[in-house]
Every structure is written in C-alpha cells, then in structure tokens.
Amino acid sequence: MEKRRYAVRLAYEGGAFRGFQRQPGMTTVQGCLEAAFTHIGVQVRLEPAARTDAGVHAIDQVVTFTARAALEPAALRAAINTHTPPALLCLDAARVPPAFHARASARSRTYVYLVGWPAPAELAGYAWSLPDARAFPDLLVQRVDLARAADALARIPGEHDFGGFARPGEQTARRREDARATVRTVLRAEVVPAVGAPLAAFVLEGHGFLRAMIRNVVGAVVAAAVGVTSPERVSAILGAPGERYRGVRAPGWGLTLARVAYAEPLFTG
C-alpha cells in the first residue's frame, strides 16, 4: 500500500508545554499532537523541524510524517485543531514529496528572543524582563546597552564550534568521536530595537542550533549589554568549545521559533 508524506505547520504557546519532545507524565507538543492523530485513527512518527525546549514558543514549527491514509489537508488541519488544546494550533497542512523531511530539508531556522527593561506587561510570558535578580543579583537597575549587545552579537555569525554555548549532553558527548559534532553555521545575529518601548528583539538565523545554544548566547549578550561582562566574552566562549558554559542562560519563555525556511514553499495558506 502506498505511503504518503505530509507536513503540518504549528503555532504553540510554550508555557503550556514541557517542550516539544514527548516525556513520560508531562504535557508536551509531541504528546498532544500524537494524541490528536490517535483520535482521528492515524498512527504516525513525527519529525519536527526543531525540538523546542520547555517554555519556548513557536509560530512556524513544521512537522512531517508518513501515513498510509489519504488525508485531505484542510480536513487534516481541522481534525488536529479539534483534538489539541487551545495552546497548540495547526495553521496549515499539505501533502509533500516522498523525500521531504521537516528537519533535514530545512534551509534555515530563525528564532526571535524578546528582552525588555522592563518588558511591557502585555508581553509577560513572552519576553525576558529586566531587572532579573535571579540572573543578575547584584544589579538593581538594568538597562540594555544595545550598542554593546550588537558588538557581542556580531561575533556569532559564521561557522564556529558552538560547544561552549551548548547544554552538556548527547550533542557535546559526540565531540569525543567527531570534532565537528558541535560545529554550526549562523547566518544572521542581530538586535532590533522596538519603537517607543524599552524592548528589543534578538534575531538569530542558522542552519541548525545546539540544545540551549540560543538561550546561552542571548544570556551572554545581555550580560555584556548590562555591563556584567564585556562583548569580548562571547569571543572567549567561542574560543573554548570544550569548556562548559557557566554564564547566564536566558529563560525559555522569551524565545520563539519564528520561521523555518525551505527551498520551495510548502503551504498555500
């Protein structure tokens, strides 16, 4: 029987989930999505473009899967939305070529991290608000110097070994057998200030990212921007990929997966 390939585009509010990947006894995006497929009588193996961490939001997550059933995209989207919680929304669905894979076929992923000093009240749960006594206990008033932030971020684009910004685990352990296991290419890293508000967006686009890499990069950049460290600290961490990151990690709720780019558009909506 013919197997068919499908892709769905998702948006979700990260605060409602313990990340994308299924975890026993916890509410995850994967778990909720798999439960929705069970309700419509389809057993699938989900392939996400990115495995977002707990608290991280998405407005353009792409997931592919194979199914024997002939699924009409509009009906598939509606069925998923019927059986998922309000914090998880299927925006689009499409039939895709047999070789297409949400992760492997992606040209780039773009993440946006919001930081405010303090962030507007309506962005609670979506932006890192300073001052933050947990991250910077000795600073009572924290203002983000965007020139220092831009200086720090300018050191990130290009191909680097980002092992020093990664969360210790399976990815960093691979460096024992493969020296390039933690090498990644970042295409863009910039800070975009808001107009009329003490708020900025840190935008990072790359082929792929290590676990916690973006949150650690933002933490190091903000530490430089508030004067705790210098922009040169980012270069020092890049220069020591085998050392564990010991700086500030930005909280998950400020981060959003904003775009996954492919060679050709997947969805018509």
Side-chain angles (χ1 to χ4, degrees), residues 31-264:
C32 290
L33 196 56
E34 288 176 344
F37 278 108
T38 299
H39 276 291
I40 62 178
V42 180
Q43 298 295 323
V44 296
R45 179 177 178 272
L46 301 177
E47 305 151 352
R51 290 185 174 89
T52 51
D53 288 338
V56 176
H57 315 288
I59 58 174
D60 190 29
Q61 170 74 282
V62 178
V63 177
T64 47
F65 62 92
T66 299
R68 296 187 184 277
L71 304 172
E72 197 278 318
L76 173 61
R77 174 190 172 190
I80 291 172
N81 287 334
T82 298
H83 298 289
T84 50
L88 172 59
L89 181 65
C90 180
L91 302 173
D92 292 290
R95 180 87 180 265
V96 294
F100 182 83
H101 189 285
R103 178 183 54 78
S105 301
R107 293 291 184 88
S108 70
R109 297 158 182 80
T110 301
Y111 287 85
V112 174
Y113 198 103
L114 297 179
V115 178
W117 51 97
E122 56 269 31
L123 288 179
Y126 300 94
W128 186 13
S129 190
L130 303 177
D132 181 352
R134 175 196 62 85
F136 307 111
D138 297 326
L139 291 181
L140 299 179
V141 178
Q142 294 162 19
R143 293 187 178 276
V144 177
D145 184 329
L146 295 184
R148 287 173 64 90
D151 185 355
L153 274 176
R155 302 160 193 270
I156 294 297
E159 183 183 270
H160 303 285
D161 189 332
F162 286 96
F165 281 109
R167 176 185 298 166
E170 180 184 353
Q171 290 177 318
T172 54
R174 292 196 197 113
R175 298 182 78 252
R176 300 189 190 101
E177 289 76 35
D178 178 6
R180 292 184 58 82
T182 50
V183 172
R184 296 293 185 272
T185 299
V186 174
L187 304 172
R188 176 169 55 125
E190 60 184 6
V191 57
V192 181
V195 176
L199 181 74
F202 294 80
V203 182
L204 288 95
E205 179 183 5
H207 295 317
F209 297 91
L210 301 168
R211 291 289 304 275
M213 172 179 155
I214 294 178
R215 290 169 58 195
N216 287 339
V217 166
V218 171
V221 169
V222 170
V226 300
V228 171
T229 62
S230 68
E232 288 78 14
R233 176 61 183 154
V234 171
S235 297
I237 296 170
L238 288 174
E243 296 183 11
R244 181 171 181 169
Y245 178 74
R246 300 189 183 279
V248 172
R249 177 177 297 167
W253 61 79
L255 183 61
T256 298
L257 173 59
R259 181 172 183 262
V260 183
Y262 298 96
E264 300 291 338

